[in-house]
């Protein structure tokens, strides 16, 4: 680039000196462009005495009008010296390709020789899409960005090894005239987590091939198939219901157990007291609180009498609860 900058004034001087009167020459830097770059078209003409009187117009082959920066702000027009003018195009697009001409008017008048601007586009970046079929087989899809020209090579690698079979590649031309390539790698064997697939594309626009990869990451199928996600929700809901039922039953049981109750909270707490303590309490209660249930003789409980035993049961429970 710096060498080109050094050479340019010399080149212009030579061109201006050797050119026959009114001969207008054109050249281009860089000689070919990639989409997104900036290119400069030069127009060199015989030396003008008054640079302010130089008028230069540019047009593109096929166009009916001269180019202007009003139509497209990416274009920059300059009179560089008494013998040269430039058209600079920033952020070149594929549609900018074509033959450009300059026309000089003033002390000298003439048309340029014309210069072709070729624009190429890079297939970078690539996109890789994994697709699993219903029966679990993997197809890797590699898509290029729209590129030009169309000569390219595509290669697949699996865990570092070149893949030669099971590849289908198709090329399409888009509305802009650029090419888009889609390549399919169809796996015929089950894949495992950790397998790396690499898609690699070479093209004239790229110094080194561009590549992208996909690393297989599938959850353990046996577990995920036997326990779908909703099973866990069902388990959670049923556990919650079970807890609610237990709590409701327990509270109802506490209320029934404490008919003469002092305070309900105290009775509920007692509901959870361990059985061994209750049994001690029962015995204490039997001795202490005989007057609270005077109608029933403790000995009567041993009789084979349905109602009596029922009463006894109830009484025992009450005593157990009321034990301090
Ligand atoms: C320059 O080209 C235009 C259009 O192609 C033409 O009309 C014109 O006569 C040419 N001028 C010269 C000096 O050759
Ligand atoms: C896969 O791609 C990532 C980022 O694009 C890179 O860091 C990694 O080294 C690549 N792996 C392989 C095996 O090429």
């Amino acid at each position: 680039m710096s060498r080109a900058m050094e050479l340019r004034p010399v080149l212009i001087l030579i061109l201006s000196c050797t050119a026959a009167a009114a001969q207008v020459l054109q050249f281009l830097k860089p000689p070919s462009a990639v989409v997104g770059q900036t290119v400069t078209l030069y127009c060199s003409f015989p030396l003008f005495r008054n640079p302010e009187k130089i008028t230069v117009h540019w047009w593109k082959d096929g166009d009916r009008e001269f180019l202007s920066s009003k139509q497209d702000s990416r274009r920059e027009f300059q009179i560089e010296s008494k013998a040269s003018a430039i058209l600079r195009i920033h952020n070149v697009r594929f549609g900018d390709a074509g033959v450009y001409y300059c026309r000089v008017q003033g002390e000298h008048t003439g048309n340029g020789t014309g210069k072709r601007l070729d624009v190429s586009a890079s297939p970078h970046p690539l996109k890789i899409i994994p697709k699993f079929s219903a029966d679990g087989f993997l197809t890797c899809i590699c898509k290029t960005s729209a590129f030009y020209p169309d000569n390219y090579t595509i290669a697949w690698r699996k865990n570092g090894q070149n893949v030669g079979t099971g590849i289908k590649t198709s090329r399409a031309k888009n509305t802009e005239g650029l090419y888009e390539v889609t390549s399919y790698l169809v796996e015929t064997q089950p894949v495992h987590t950790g397998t790396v697939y690499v898609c690699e594309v070479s093209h004239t626009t790229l110094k080194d091939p561009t590549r992208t990869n996909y690393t297989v990451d599938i959850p353990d199928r046996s577990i995920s198939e036997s326990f779908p996600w909703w099973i866990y929700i069902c388990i959670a809901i049923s556990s919650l219901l079970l807890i609610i039922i237990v709590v409701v039953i327990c509270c109802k049981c506490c209320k029934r157990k404490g008919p003469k109750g002092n305070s309900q909270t105290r009775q509920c707490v007692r509901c959870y007291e361990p059985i061994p303590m209750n049994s001690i309490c029962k015995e204490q209660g039997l001795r202490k609180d005989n007057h609270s249930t005077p109608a029933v003789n403790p000995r009567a409980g041993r009789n084979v009498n349905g109602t009596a035993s029922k009463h006894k049961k109830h009484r025992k429970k009450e005593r157990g609860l009321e034990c301090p």
Side-chain angles (χ1 to χ4, degrees):
M1 196 69 187
S2 60
R3 214 178 123 214
M5 294 298 261
E6 280 165 26
L7 280 172
R8 213 179 60 223
V10 180
L11 192 65
I12 290 164
L13 196 70
I14 293 166
L15 287 170
S16 332
C17 294
T18 56
Q23 184 156 17
V24 179
L25 299 173
Q26 285 180 243
F27 57 102
L28 173 70
K29 287 252 149 58
S32 72
V34 177
V35 167
Q37 284 185 336
T38 297
V39 291
T40 309
L41 288 142
Y42 292 88
C43 181
S44 75
F45 38 85
L47 207 63
F48 274 64
R49 262 164 282 148
N50 185 356
E52 287 179 9
K53 294 241 173 100
I54 304 171
T55 307
V56 176
H57 291 292
W58 293 86
W59 81 94
K60 193 178 158 191
D61 201 18
D63 285 359
R64 298 222 167 159
E65 286 176 20
F66 292 131
L67 300 170
S68 80
S69 51
K70 274 179 207 157
Q71 299 163 332
D72 193 333
S73 61
R74 296 175 304 128
R75 296 180 188 138
E76 184 189 328
F77 300 89
Q78 265 177 34
I79 306 293
E80 268 212 314
S81 71
K82 289 179 181 178
S84 76
I86 60 158
L87 160 60
R88 185 165 287 142
I89 306 170
H90 296 274
N91 188 18
V92 163
R93 292 178 193 152
F94 184 65
D96 291 328
V99 180
Y100 288 78
Y101 292 95
C102 64
R103 179 184 294 173
V104 184
Q105 284 167 312
E107 282 172 44
H108 310 286
T109 297
N111 287 339
T113 46
K115 195 75 205 169
R116 170 175 293 278
L117 168 66
D118 290 314
V119 180
S120 49
S122 159
H124 175 84
L126 306 176
K127 231 181 0 189
I128 196 162
I129 306 151
K131 281 233 159 74
F132 285 93
S133 66
D135 47 358
F137 288 103
L138 172 68
T139 297
C140 278
I141 305 161
C142 180
K143 281 178 188 282
T144 66
S145 300
F147 65 91
Y148 189 90
D150 73 335
N151 40 343
Y152 70 95
T153 59
I154 192 160
W156 283 93
R157 277 201 301 274
K158 177 184 175 182
N159 287 336
Q161 303 279 311
N162 283 325
V163 181
T165 55
I167 297 167
K168 261 187 242 161
T169 302
S170 65
R171 195 193 66 187
K173 200 171 184 176
N174 72 11
T175 50
E176 267 188 282
L178 295 159
Y179 298 99
E180 284 167 6
V181 163
T182 308
S183 186
Y184 298 82
L185 173 89
V186 183
E187 264 297 356
T188 48
Q189 281 166 0
V191 289
H192 305 287
T193 295
T195 306
V196 182
Y197 292 89
V198 175
C199 168
E200 185 179 281
V201 174
S202 307
H203 190 249
T204 51
T205 54
L206 302 164
K207 224 196 261 172
D208 299 309
T210 177
R211 55 178 73 90
T212 186
N213 65 52
Y214 164 67
T215 305
V216 179
D217 182 17
I218 37 172
D220 197 332
R221 304 196 111 243
S222 60
I223 288 173
S224 65
E225 267 167 19
S226 53
F227 291 107
W229 58 270
W230 51 265
I231 284 280
Y232 297 100
I233 292 176
C234 283
I235 291 170
I237 290 171
S238 6
S239 320
L240 200 69
L241 280 174
L242 203 70
I243 290 167
I244 290 168
I245 289 165
V246 164
V247 166
V248 165
I249 287 173
C250 186
C251 278
K252 274 191 175 169
C253 123
C254 286
K255 272 178 198 167
R256 235 184 274 139
K257 277 175 183 173
K260 298 163 191 168
N262 305 329
S263 79
Q264 277 201 4
T265 44
R266 200 180 145 209
Q267 286 156 11
C268 274
V269 166
R270 296 217 170 226
C271 202
Y272 296 101
E273 267 183 11
I275 297 158
M277 257 190 78
N278 268 350
S279 60
I280 295 164
C281 289
K282 264 183 243 162
E283 280 178 20
Q284 285 175 349
L286 275 170
R287 276 175 227 135
K288 256 193 216 168
D289 291 329
N290 266 351
H291 64 275
S292 66
T293 51
V296 183
N297 188 340
R299 276 178 198 166
R302 277 172 203 130
N303 292 345
V304 195
N305 185 320
T307 41
S309 64
K310 217 177 174 182
H311 273 280
K312 189 190 140 200
K313 250 186 175 173
H314 191 61
R315 197 185 58 229
K316 272 192 179 176
K317 272 178 193 164
E318 271 175 27
R319 275 172 189 155
L321 282 169
E322 279 166 15
C323 173

